[in-house]
Amino acid sequence: ACMEAAKKAGGPIMVTFSRGGGQFIAGKAADNTDDAACIAGSVAGALHVRAVAKLYGVPVILHSDHCQKSWLPWFDGMIKASEEYFEKNGEPLFSSHMLDLSEEPLEENIAICKKYLERMAKVNLLLEMELGVTGGEEDGVDNSNVDSSRLYTQPEEVWEVYQALSSVPNGNFTVAAAFGNVHGVYAPGNVSLKPEILHNTQKFIKEKLGCASDKPVFFVFHGGSGSSTEDIQYAIKAGVIKMNID
């Protein structure tokens, strides 16, 4: 259905697998020791999309959604599948993976992300990392009652990430910074976004780098549902290249 819609709309499309979705594909009765079913289902889904996409003639980006620290076996399994696929085909099975360590201390978040990016860069996989906390609930992770101050990422935090990850040879990464965005479905006007945080961060990092680009960081906008058209457009102007909606 997704690829049919992409063909009708003149695609491309991004197909995203969650950990729970991977397990569902494998079947809930499948042995999930060390996330085996989550891995097998996600990999099988990616291979299915690759095979079927050819019939629709649309470009497809294969992505995986939030992976917290306790789910790293799932993350490792998908990367291993891409490494094996790369050896045979010269490209990774997936296009990108989202590593959400926003609940961990900043230093640990950055260190683990850098470790994975060093591995992923060797097979041309993009890493999406998260800073701050996106409110609401998604895939079993509930941030509904989080301290509101954690909903807004600071420019200095993004700069720390940029310094670490941009040092990885061939490393490609995006940053899901928090600027008041919330997971879930909301009517427009019920979400208090501050996309100026992204603009200020780009300006801050540009000055640190002394570069010509006004948008040195590629941002991701999580929890886009309920956002006004104006806020979305303003966020895109700040360097958002991907937006998640529920």
Side-chain angles (χ1 to χ4, degrees):
C2 293
M3 284 174 281
E4 180 182 356
K7 183 177 181 179
K8 289 179 179 178
I13 190 170
M14 175 178 283
V15 176
T16 302
F17 295 92
S18 66
R19 178 175 176 271
Q23 185 177 14
F24 179 83
I25 292 171
K28 291 189 176 181
D31 180 10
N32 198 37
T33 303
D34 296 326
D35 279 353
C38 298
I39 295 166
S42 299
V43 170
L47 290 168
H48 170 80
V49 171
R50 277 187 168 273
V52 174
K54 297 175 182 178
L55 305 178
Y56 288 92
V58 293
V60 179
I61 294 172
L62 285 167
H63 183 64
S64 67
D65 207 359
H66 292 258
C67 177
Q68 59 192 39
K69 188 177 180 180
S70 60
W71 296 350
L72 286 177
W74 173 56
F75 202 80
D76 288 323
M78 290 186 293
I79 293 178
K80 181 181 178 182
S82 273
E83 290 169 337
E84 293 172 350
Y85 193 91
F86 187 90
E87 287 183 10
K88 299 176 182 178
N89 302 281
E91 63 181 28
L93 174 60
F94 291 87
S95 310
S96 54
H97 295 292
M98 197 271 155
L99 186 54
D100 182 0
L101 302 176
S102 56
E103 294 186 351
E104 312 305 323
L106 179 62
E107 294 75 16
E108 183 178 3
N109 184 350
I110 294 174
I112 294 176
C113 284
K114 183 178 180 182
K115 175 185 174 183
Y116 274 106
L117 184 58
E118 288 171 343
R119 179 180 175 186
M120 295 167 69
K122 295 176 182 177
V123 292
N124 298 330
L125 275 169
L126 180 144
L127 172 69
E128 176 185 332
M129 67 88 64
E130 182 161 354
L131 281 176
V133 172
T134 300
E137 188 274 336
E138 182 177 56
D139 206 22
V141 179
D142 191 350
N143 292 322
S144 301
N145 298 314
V146 73
D147 184 339
S148 61
S149 66
R150 297 186 65 198
L151 298 176
Y152 302 98
T153 302
Q154 300 304 308
E156 293 82 2
E157 295 173 323
V158 182
W159 172 236
E160 286 190 53
V161 171
Y162 187 91
Q163 283 182 294
L165 300 190
S166 63
S167 70
V168 177
N170 197 45
N172 291 301
F173 63 94
T174 57
V175 179
F179 55 103
N181 29 335
V182 180
H183 287 137
V185 180
Y186 300 87
N190 289 338
V191 177
S192 180
L193 287 181
K194 295 184 179 179
E196 60 270 19
I197 288 175
L198 304 183
H199 285 269
N200 293 338
T201 298
Q202 294 284 24
K203 181 179 179 182
F204 180 85
I205 294 179
K206 177 182 178 179
E207 291 175 352
K208 287 287 188 180
L209 293 172
C211 65
S213 174
D214 291 328
K215 302 173 187 176
V217 183
F218 295 126
F219 283 121
V220 173
F221 182 170
H222 283 189
S225 298
S227 304
S228 68
T229 301
E230 291 75 19
D231 278 343
I232 293 171
Q233 291 175 339
Y234 194 57
I236 291 172
K237 290 178 181 177
V240 166
I241 62 170
K242 170 177 173 278
M243 185 178 82
N244 296 4
I245 58 175
D246 293 285

